[in-house]
Amino acid sequence: MKVPFLDLNAHHQPIRAQLDAAIREVIDTSAFAGGPFVAAFERDFAKYCGSNYAIGVGNGTDAIWLTLLALGVGEGDEVITVPSTFMATTEAISYCGARPKFVDIDERLYTMDPELLERAISPRTKAIVPVHLFGQCADMDPILEVAGRHGIPVVEDACQAHGAVYKKRKAGVLGVAGCFSFYPGKNLGALGEAGGVTTNDKELAGKIQVLRDHGQHRKYYHSKIGWNARMDGIQGAVLSVKLKQLEVNNVRRHAHGLLYDQLLGETEEIITPFEGPHNRHVYHIYAVRVKERNQILQALAERGISCAIHYPIPVHLQEAYQFLGHTEGSFPVAERCAEEFLSLPMFPELTTEQIHSVADELKSCIGGRKPQSSLVN
Ligand SMILES: Cc1ncc(COP(=O)(O)O)c(C=O)c1O
């Protein structure tokens, strides 16, 4: 059986008429850049996350960048984050003129290890950006406790975590701000590029609103040097339609995750994801860990199962960040995970039959079962 990694057609087909109508309305009213459809989505998304404000921007990278700028991050500052993330997290830091400082990840959650945070803080630290990797929130309480003691704001990179829950609160309201990507393949994806910031801080929201729109507080009155990082009207309208499906789709993803866990959890050579006791994981990505991952990826592809790797090289070892002076061994957990992560097909429309087929093929590529007592999770 062929199983795609992601099937956006299957995702859009049932709501195609609503999406077409939403796009038609934007064309009919010529509300293309910012405007009422973006404002309506901002209200809907803020309500969904439980935040006072949501600000639509061009993409998730803009969301992190503008939030850090609005917090005053600039030249000579340091921003702490993790090496197990997409490059955008650190690009946003670098584009403020600041330097990313890394903290290794926790080997079970794959998010910032709170125990390592304090020693990374210096007088230059201006912000901390934990990444809710794969759809699961970082262990925020100990991170917020350390940050609070040092008076440093915590900005969530929630680009993969729409609807993820930590201690009964959604991603996006745990730190001073939450930054989201609505890239098409995300749990809440636009039909193009889009992003957003959530916050309860009125002043911060106001600053980001000004920065995303050329620094103007009123048309042609520029109080800041900003940027053009507005969300476009079509994406706002489409996202309002798709937001209505997010909860049911997250429930489906979670059920798929549990079924994968069940089918793969007893195989000795496979480490399945761990869902933290305070978390609702929304499985943007369902990543297992296996040895000889590249060969397994290739073998699965030959059997029609499309998998992916998120991400093959941790950010601290990327060529672009050579100047930071890190070497192999600098962040051992992130490096080990980068060698072993294998992302299996995951999308709401995945069928039980497809999940069984992925699990069977993966197990047959690997072979071997472990005794019940040595389960990894
Ligand atoms: C963890 C993380 N941060 C930031 C981003 C950047 O979002 P965008 O691609 O919308 O700019 C992404 C997108 O993939 C991401 O996964």
Side-chain angles (χ1 to χ4, degrees), residues 191-223:
L191 299 183
E193 302 277 355
V197 182
T198 50
T199 183
N200 287 331
D201 183 329
K202 188 176 180 182
E203 199 185 323
L204 185 65
K207 283 185 184 167
I208 297 168
Q209 277 157 356
V210 166
L211 285 172
R212 75 164 168 188
D213 193 15
H214 298 290
Q216 54 190 347
H217 52 277
R218 209 171 113 202
K219 201 167 172 71
Y220 302 134
Y221 289 77
H222 305 267
S223 51

Side-chain angles (χ1 to χ4, degrees), residues 64-65 68-69 72-79 89-100 124 126 321 323-324:
I64 305 167
W65 178 49
L68 294 177
L69 282 180
V73 175
E75 210 68 46
D77 293 333
E78 287 175 356
V79 175
T89 316
T90 48
E91 281 174 324
I93 295 166
S94 297
Y95 264 71
C96 292
R99 200 177 164 91
R124 290 167 184 257
K126 264 288 170 60
Y321 279 116
F323 69 93
L324 292 176

Side-chain angles (χ1 to χ4, degrees), residues 277-318:
H278 307 299
N279 281 336
R280 173 173 83 149
H281 199 315
V282 290
Y283 293 108
H284 168 55
I285 305 276
Y286 185 93
V288 294
R289 283 168 60 195
V290 288
K291 302 281 183 214
E292 295 176 354
R293 182 264 323 275
N294 293 347
Q295 287 95 312
I296 290 169
L297 176 80
Q298 179 63 29
L300 284 167
E302 282 159 16
R303 295 166 188 218
I305 310 291
S306 296
C307 296
I309 299 172
H310 299 90
Y311 298 94
I313 303 176
V315 179
H316 69 284
L317 296 179
Q318 292 286 352

Side-chain angles (χ1 to χ4, degrees), residues 59-61 64 85-86 88-89 131 157 159-160 181 183 186 194 311:
N59 51 59
T61 316
I64 305 167
T85 184
F86 180 55
T89 316
V131 178
D157 181 337
C159 285
Q160 302 187 0
S181 165
Y183 186 75
K186 295 289 199 274
Y311 298 94

